[in-house]
Amino acid sequence: QVQLVESGGGSVQAGGSLRLACKESGYHADSYFLAWFRQAPGKEREWVAALYTGGGRPYYAGSVKGRFTVSRDNAKNTLYLQMSGLKSEDTATYYCAANDYWSDDAMRGDEFEYKYWGQGTQVTVSS
């Protein structure tokens, strides 16, 4: 059974940095998409970034491009989201998600393409 467990959330002042981690376990697929989403109170869930374990460049939402970096430690089966230049509008619960097949829609951040989800970790940015 696939499990995703996020960690690393917390409170930070605007302009600061945080690194989120998502520990993956239980996978059987050779390659799959991993992604970060976020959801602020009263707002819809928003895609942040995606990475295909089979290779290729990461993909980012325009709102975070240039500030956030997604990466994966293959040996540790852990996905990371390095966030810098944080803004108050980055305040949200951040979720790790995964699927088990190639999908153009997953690459573009369609949440319905993601089958597995973590429990989320809270990020609060104060101005």
Side-chain angles (χ1 to χ4, degrees):
Q1 182 175 349
V2 175
Q3 287 191 322
L4 304 170
V5 180
E6 301 97 334
S7 61
S11 297
V12 64
Q13 289 193 331
S17 299
L18 275 177
R19 189 177 78 158
L20 306 182
C22 173
K23 176 69 175 175
E24 320 146 33
S25 62
Y27 254 101
H28 298 289
D30 291 333
S31 300
Y32 43 92
F33 269 105
L34 294 164
W36 289 99
F37 288 79
R38 66 186 181 185
Q39 187 167 22
K43 294 189 176 181
E44 293 186 352
R45 188 153 54 190
E46 174 191 22
W47 170 68
V48 174
L51 180 151
Y52 186 63
T53 64
R57 66 172 180 84
Y59 305 92
Y60 297 96
S63 58
V64 306
K65 200 168 187 178
R67 300 188 297 124
F68 291 10
T69 302
V70 63
S71 63
R72 182 173 185 257
D73 186 326
N74 294 331
K76 295 182 179 179
N77 287 336
T78 301
L79 180 73
Y80 297 101
L81 184 68
Q82 178 67 49
M83 306 184 293
S84 59
L86 283 162
K87 307 174 182 179
S88 57
E89 51 263 44
D90 294 318
T91 295
T93 301
Y94 283 71
Y95 298 91
C96 175
N99 73 352
D100 49 17
Y101 54 91
W102 172 270
S103 161
D104 288 343
D105 288 334
M107 179 184 71
R108 287 186 285 264
D110 183 345
E111 64 176 286
F112 297 105
E113 291 292 310
Y114 288 88
K115 182 177 180 180
Y116 309 105
W117 292 83
Q119 82 289 350
T121 186
Q122 177 66 36
V123 172
T124 302
V125 183
S126 56
S127 56

